[in-house]
Amino acid sequence: MAATGRKHLVKDFNHFITCYLCRGYLIKPTTVTECLHTFCKSCIVQHFEESNDCPKCGIQVHETNPLEMLRLDNTLEEIIFKLVPGLREKEEQQELEFWRKNQPKENGQVENLMCQRLGLPDVGGDGDGGGGDGDDGEGGGDEDYHRSDPQIAICLDCLRNTGQSGENTVTDLMKRFIRCSSRVTVGTIKKFLSLKLKLPSSYELDVLCNGEIMGRDHTLEFIYMTRWRLHGENTYPMVLEYRPRIDFG
């Protein structure tokens, strides 16, 4: 016998998918990690320009920089787009129109990125960022996925005076400060360092935070929340140190 449960309407879920600040559907839902309340990204960023407290519960998010306590919720965004027909297309079109009106005519870089995101041809045609025109559709999608991740800034410092034979091989990076997805793992950071320092594939590195060796599968967000933020002066950006691997066996 078929179930006779009532059919749910979108309005039944409005309490979970609308923003406390603007009362509209959550656009780029962004969660405050201290209290887990979620708002539109633009709404909460604008709110934090005037206050360091959560607008819903009043808890102090951060003493000086509450923006560092925000995390995008891509899963919730996909759920909302599936629940509300036409919302994704409407927002993408409004975003494109915004950039068309506000981007200076002599520099179409941002508009080109928006066009790639929507599957449209570039407005410029310089081809500076596209290695192959035929791959723009797939490459643009991958790039946008990572740009939508929560971002974190880190400083990569070379740890010296360890007495290891590989110290002459492991040197300082020309550019120590990078910004990347908070979901990047230590294993990826090691590959990045090996590539930049031109190390052989068999060469092993240790990556440390506050003097503790980090596991290969640790994400930057995990390290920031459990090692960096709760230790020391809580400065920003987070500092990770690297050195030749020490064999304790």
Side-chain angles (χ1 to χ4, degrees):
M1 186 174 179
T4 58
R6 75 180 184 92
K7 185 177 181 180
H8 290 282
L9 303 176
V10 174
K11 66 179 182 180
D12 295 333
F13 302 97
N14 278 351
H15 176 72
F16 305 102
I17 62 176
T18 54
C19 176
Y20 177 82
L21 292 171
C22 70
R23 306 299 178 180
Y25 290 119
L26 288 164
I27 302 301
K28 297 188 184 300
T30 302
T31 299
V32 180
T33 58
E34 292 298 301
C35 59
L36 301 182
H37 289 132
T38 303
F39 311 89
C40 297
K41 180 179 179 181
S42 59
C43 292
I44 191 61
V45 168
Q46 188 174 13
H47 170 80
F48 281 155
E49 291 179 357
E50 304 294 335
S51 172
N52 292 340
D53 301 336
C54 172
K56 191 169 185 177
C57 67
I59 187 176
Q60 185 181 64
V61 176
H62 193 279
E63 291 183 358
T64 57
N65 191 8
L67 295 178
E68 291 306 317
M69 299 294 107
L70 298 179
R71 296 294 182 269
L72 284 173
D73 192 336
N74 294 319
T75 302
L76 179 57
E77 182 179 46
E78 287 302 316
I79 292 174
I80 294 172
F81 284 152
K82 284 180 170 61
L83 283 174
V84 185
L87 181 62
R88 184 197 299 269
E89 293 76 13
K90 178 183 176 182
E91 288 302 320
E92 288 179 342
Q93 186 61 37
Q94 288 182 346
E95 192 171 356
L96 180 60
E97 290 299 326
F98 171 83
W99 287 116
R100 280 179 173 165
K101 291 178 181 178
N102 293 276
Q103 179 66 16
K105 293 182 178 179
E106 64 272 13
N107 182 3
Q109 181 180 6
V110 177
E111 187 171 5
N112 285 340
L113 289 174
M114 284 304 304
C115 289
Q116 290 175 9
R117 178 176 179 179
L118 300 181
L120 302 174
D122 290 354
V123 295
D126 291 335
D128 185 58
D133 294 340
D135 295 335
D136 283 346
E138 294 182 4
D142 291 342
E143 183 178 4
D144 179 65
Y145 172 82
H146 293 293
R147 287 180 180 273
S148 297
D149 283 353
Q151 301 290 299
I152 186 170
I154 62 174
C155 173
L156 295 172
D157 276 344
C158 180
L159 186 61
R160 300 186 179 279
N161 299 322
T162 62
Q164 296 298 298
S165 58
E167 279 196 347
N168 293 331
T169 304
V170 179
T171 59
D172 290 313
L173 293 170
M174 291 185 62
K175 297 181 179 179
R176 298 184 299 133
F177 296 92
I178 63 173
R179 188 171 182 86
C180 58
S181 167
S182 63
R183 296 169 183 164
V184 165
T185 64
V186 170
T188 303
I189 294 296
K190 289 181 178 181
K191 292 179 182 178
F192 172 79
L193 290 168
S194 295
L195 179 66
K196 290 297 183 182
L197 299 175
K198 296 181 171 58
L199 300 176
S201 58
S202 59
Y203 200 92
E204 294 289 341
L205 294 171
D206 284 331
V207 173
L208 303 88
C209 181
N210 292 327
E212 179 183 353
I213 297 176
M214 296 292 100
R216 188 177 188 84
D217 294 327
H218 286 5
T219 65
L220 296 183
E221 181 176 22
F222 175 81
I223 295 172
Y224 179 81
M225 299 297 291
T226 64
R227 299 299 191 276
W228 182 256
R229 188 168 69 93
L230 302 179
H231 186 278
E233 292 78 17
N234 194 20
T235 56
Y236 189 77
M238 178 171 68
V239 178
L240 296 180
E241 298 173 313
Y242 60 93
R243 70 184 184 195
R245 168 164 288 184
I246 298 178
D247 187 1
F248 295 99

